[in-house]
Amino acid sequence: FEKETGLLKGVDLPDHFSKEGRIAVIFEEWRTLEGVRLPKKVAVYTESEVFVLDFTQITLNDVDVAVFEGPKE
């Protein structure tokens, strides 16, 4: 966690694909959207690769509730 803000800085996880390595996930550039703090950038570091997600648009609660309904009988 960040000392100044208390926000999650990152996590260290076992890499279940390599069975031996670790995966580091780093959260950066936090923004507040509709009262919720979210990272704008997420970097994932594996033993052999780096993935960076840099969100340009985040929308909350913009899903039609019908998506969650079961099939009609």
Side-chain angles (χ1 to χ4, degrees), residues 2-57:
E2 291 281 346
K3 290 180 184 177
E4 300 82 29
T5 64
L7 295 171
L8 185 62
K9 185 174 184 174
V11 293
D12 180 56
L13 306 166
D15 184 345
H16 294 287
F17 294 105
S18 74
K19 306 290 188 215
E20 298 175 7
R22 306 291 297 173
I23 296 175
V25 182
I26 308 300
F27 305 107
E28 300 176 310
E29 299 181 31
W30 289 82
R31 305 284 194 263
T32 301
L33 178 62
E34 297 179 27
V36 178
R37 299 283 290 171
L38 299 167
K40 179 186 178 299
K41 187 179 287 187
V42 178
V44 179
Y45 298 87
T46 70
E47 300 265 332
S48 59
E49 299 177 281
V50 176
F51 303 94
V52 178
L53 306 171
D54 192 359
F55 299 101
T56 57
Q57 180 178 0

